[in-house]
Amino acid sequence: MTATEPDRTQQDVPPSSRRGTAAAWLTTTDHKRIALLTLGTALVLFVVVGLIALVVRAQLTLPDQHLVSNDLYNGLFTTHGSGMIYLVVTPIAIALGLYLVPLQVGAPAVAAPRLAMAGFWLYLAGTVLIFAGFATALGPAAGGWYAYPPLNSSRYLPGAGQSLWIAGVFLAVLGMIFQAGTVLWTALLKRARSVTLMRMPVFTWSTIATNLMVIGAFPSLLAAMALLGWGRVFPDIFTENLWNIAYQHLFWFFAHPVVYVMFFPFVGVVAEVLSTFAGRRFFGYRATVVSLLVFAAFSMSVWGHHMFSTGQASNDYYSLTSILLLVPAGVEYFGFLATLVGGHLRFTVPMLFAIAFVPQFLVGGLTGIMVATPVIDYQVTDSYFIVAHWHYTLAAGSLFGIFAAFHFWFPKATGLLLDERLGRWQFWLLVVGTNTTFLPMFWLGLAGMPRRLATYLPQDGFTTANVISSAGSVLIALSVIVTIANVVTSVRDRRRPAGDDPWQGLTLEWATASPPAPTNFDDQHPLPRIRSFTPLLDEREREEGEERTGDDPAAHGGLRSGGSS
């Protein structure tokens, strides 16, 4: 595959990228600003949806509580699940690639930037529609993030809230397809000439695998939402089980790959962070690239394990394909551990989050294999065991990857350093809070507590685990408060300059200014020589070798050589 060397002249800079007004931001074609708009919106929604989760936990802390009505409770857990998947974690995963991939492949801009910006506006419109349900007479959508028919037809869930939810999900997901397509186009066809496929960083490869799944699987959800919308106009179509099961096939063909969309980029993040703070190249680079692509391909073949209890899926096939995912996952985990062994480890805040990601996400992965086994799935389906599995995947896994990325690239995006002490407080509060919240949910599931339950009786025996779980959710909230305080004080009060490369990074984004120029690389920060997927480490090693032999590295241009091999 051929990539062209971009012309990094000031004439290529869109006028909107040279201005700092609100109008310039809202009409920008700079991929970094589009990504920051998406990331900023998603992080605000993370706080909002997290507050909804606290209300849910408060309701379930003690038996026979009625802090909110049953109908409102259904709306809250639906908005929490929908918000986290459609509006928070998936947009963060895609927007992170939108910000970083052009930098990591030496491109001056993202392909089709107006399409990427249109993706942001569709995502924002979808968000407004989903939350607009709270302003309707019968309240927000209340059928879960999966919205199974016939329950979600207008016959059983009347009111505008559910219809707004369908339209909002459709628009938000369409926006993510647009953004993912532009990033995939950039990675494959807009790289600098010297950035061959096998010179792209692990994070870029994880984004490629992610966006292939987005392009392949997300249109299935659009079809599912269209079917659901049609059923709200003509609810009689869902009297035939054919369309109810057809909806589930369409939905889960999207909804299983979206799990990997929500963690693949953070596999790449953790790989970059571990290798940077171990001071060495990521172990098994080629094997990891292959495993990511194989994992992405397999992800399109396992959706039926979510449908074992319907009796409408082939148990043997879907169980086998699900268990086969252990192979590429094992390759990635081996790469994590082997990178750390023998490295000169620096336990910065991003490193702490990356290390914690590995064992915690492993819990989510292994319990996923358990529920992909039909005999276990029949026992635990629709119980709190599934809730615990989901949250160890997304909260104990992806959320830690998100914060590893946040602390790692915040200096690059802002030019400022975050406070390490507050960062460590955030880390330990989140570690303790996450495991205290979600580990008891496994016990609840095994004890028989159904999910989507608004309350329970004292004699059910669920009280102790729910009290522990709710206490843990308070610790998670405190960790988020500490994070917000860290950002506010670092940006408003302390303002410690980060410099271009505060971590001794390995990949091309660390050769740019902090924050990067509109064209990413310029005369003051040209592309360094690129000979591998860790070009900055290559240059440091070359300079150290020249110093040992008495040669003058400055005579060769050092890290700012601007050449390409």
Side-chain angles (χ1 to χ4, degrees):
M1 186 174 294
T2 303
T4 58
E5 181 76 37
D7 178 17
R8 294 174 182 81
T9 62
Q10 187 65 20
Q11 285 74 23
D12 290 334
V13 185
S16 62
S17 295
R18 301 178 198 148
R19 303 191 301 268
T21 64
W25 273 84
L26 296 177
T27 59
T28 185
T29 54
D30 184 341
H31 70 95
K32 299 178 290 299
R33 287 186 171 185
I34 300 170
L36 290 174
L37 287 169
T38 307
L39 289 167
T41 303
L43 290 173
V44 170
L45 290 170
F46 169 71
V47 174
V48 173
V49 177
L51 291 173
I52 292 174
L54 289 178
V55 177
V56 171
R57 286 311 321 158
Q59 168 75 4
L60 294 175
T61 302
L62 296 173
D64 203 23
Q65 286 210 119
H66 299 281
L67 301 178
V68 295
S69 67
N70 288 355
D71 288 342
L72 181 55
Y73 180 86
N74 292 340
L76 291 175
F77 79 69
T78 296
T79 306
H80 171 72
S82 305
M84 282 296 183
I85 292 168
Y86 301 124
L87 306 180
V88 176
V89 183
T90 299
I92 288 175
I94 293 172
L96 201 58
L98 179 59
Y99 189 98
L100 290 170
V101 165
L103 292 166
Q104 290 195 337
V105 301
V110 73
R114 289 178 177 81
L115 187 62
M117 190 60 179
F120 166 74
W121 283 111
L122 286 171
Y123 159 60
L124 187 62
T127 299
V128 171
L129 288 177
I130 288 172
F131 280 92
F134 283 94
T136 61
L138 297 181
W145 75 279
Y146 37 80
Y148 285 163
L151 172 62
N152 285 269
S153 69
S154 55
R155 177 170 295 149
Y156 300 108
L157 277 180
Q162 194 69 34
S163 300
L164 288 169
W165 181 91
I166 293 169
V169 169
F170 189 98
L171 292 179
V173 170
L174 182 61
M176 291 303 101
I177 293 173
F178 286 178
Q179 289 196 350
T182 64
V183 176
L184 185 63
W185 183 356
T186 304
L188 296 180
L189 295 175
K190 297 294 183 180
R191 306 184 311 276
R193 186 180 296 115
S194 51
V195 182
T196 61
L197 285 174
M198 297 313 292
R199 292 177 181 174
M200 295 192 299
V202 176
F203 174 79
T204 294
W205 274 112
S206 73
T207 301
I208 288 174
T210 297
N211 293 343
L212 287 171
M213 289 186 288
V214 171
I215 300 301
F218 279 33
S220 180
L221 182 69
L222 302 185
M225 291 298 108
L227 176 60
L228 201 59
W230 186 254
R232 291 193 66 76
V233 179
F234 302 104
D236 287 343
I237 69 169
F238 292 128
T239 58
E240 297 292 334
N241 204 40
L242 168 67
W243 291 111
N244 297 326
I245 296 300
Y247 174 86
Q248 289 198 34
H249 279 292
L250 287 171
F251 178 82
W252 287 113
F253 189 79
F254 150 82
H256 195 86
V258 80
V259 177
Y260 304 130
V261 168
M262 291 187 289
F263 85 79
F264 261 35
F266 307 115
V267 169
V269 167
V270 169
E272 300 290 350
V273 172
L274 293 180
S275 57
T276 295
F277 295 111
R280 58 184 302 187
R281 293 168 183 83
F282 188 76
F283 184 91
Y285 167 78
R286 290 177 180 270
T288 299
V289 169
V290 172
S291 75
L292 287 167
L293 296 175
V294 169
F295 211 140
F298 277 11
S299 77
M300 313 290 282
S301 65
V302 302
W303 78 92
H305 79 229
H306 296 276
M307 299 172 59
F308 285 154
S309 61
T310 67
Q312 302 292 316
S314 173
N315 286 7
D316 292 344
Y317 170 76
Y318 288 116
S319 182
L320 175 63
T321 54
S322 301
I323 292 171
L324 283 175
L325 293 175
L326 282 171
V327 177
V331 171
E332 294 158 15
Y333 269 86
F334 185 79
F336 291 154
L337 299 177
T339 300
L340 293 175
V341 174
H344 300 287
L345 305 184
R346 293 177 285 153
F347 293 99
T348 61
V349 171
M351 183 67 152
L352 293 176
F353 278 105
I355 290 173
F357 170 94
V358 177
Q360 292 186 158
F361 189 80
L362 184 62
V363 174
L366 293 178
T367 53
I369 297 301
M370 292 172 64
V371 298
T373 306
V375 292
I376 298 176
D377 184 75
Y378 291 148
Q379 176 66 29
V380 301
T381 192
D382 280 338
S383 77
Y384 257 78
F385 191 95
I386 303 298
V387 178
H389 156 65
W390 263 103
H391 284 85
Y392 262 93
T393 303
L394 297 183
S398 297
L399 183 59
F400 276 73
I402 288 170
F403 282 122
F406 180 78
H407 285 272
F408 188 57
W409 280 295
F410 184 89
K412 175 55 58 180
T414 65
L416 300 171
L417 290 170
L418 289 169
D419 184 273
E420 280 276 314
R421 180 178 59 86
L422 289 176
R424 291 174 189 274
W425 270 103
Q426 176 208 353
F427 170 76
W428 288 113
L429 283 168
L430 194 60
V431 167
V432 176
T434 297
N435 289 282
T436 304
T437 301
F438 302 118
L439 188 60
M441 292 183 183
F442 286 120
W443 312 335
L444 288 168
L446 294 175
M449 182 173 177
R451 63 195 298 197
R452 303 183 289 273
L453 194 69
T455 189
Y456 53 92
L457 299 175
Q459 59 266 34
D460 289 334
F462 303 148
T463 306
T464 301
N466 272 303
V467 168
I468 295 171
S469 181
S470 295
S473 68
V474 174
L475 294 178
I476 294 175
L478 289 175
S479 75
V480 174
I481 292 171
V482 171
T483 307
I484 295 170
N486 195 352
V487 172
V488 171
T489 57
S490 297
V491 172
R492 189 185 63 183
D493 301 329
R494 294 190 179 96
R495 297 192 64 82
R496 293 185 298 144
D500 294 341
D501 184 8
W503 308 126
Q504 292 187 301
L506 312 182
T507 49
L508 286 179
E509 73 271 23
W510 300 107
T512 66
S514 296
T519 52
N520 296 336
F521 299 90
D522 54 22
D523 293 339
Q524 288 73 40
H525 297 84
L527 271 175
R529 188 177 306 176
I530 302 166
R531 294 172 292 179
S532 76
F533 66 97
T534 55
L536 271 62
L537 181 60
D538 296 338
E539 288 297 307
R540 282 196 290 271
E541 290 176 344
R542 184 179 65 83
E543 291 178 359
E544 290 170 1
E546 290 171 346
E547 288 174 358
R548 284 194 295 269
T549 59
D551 211 353
D552 181 8
H556 302 279
L559 282 176
R560 299 288 180 252
S561 63
S564 60
S565 57

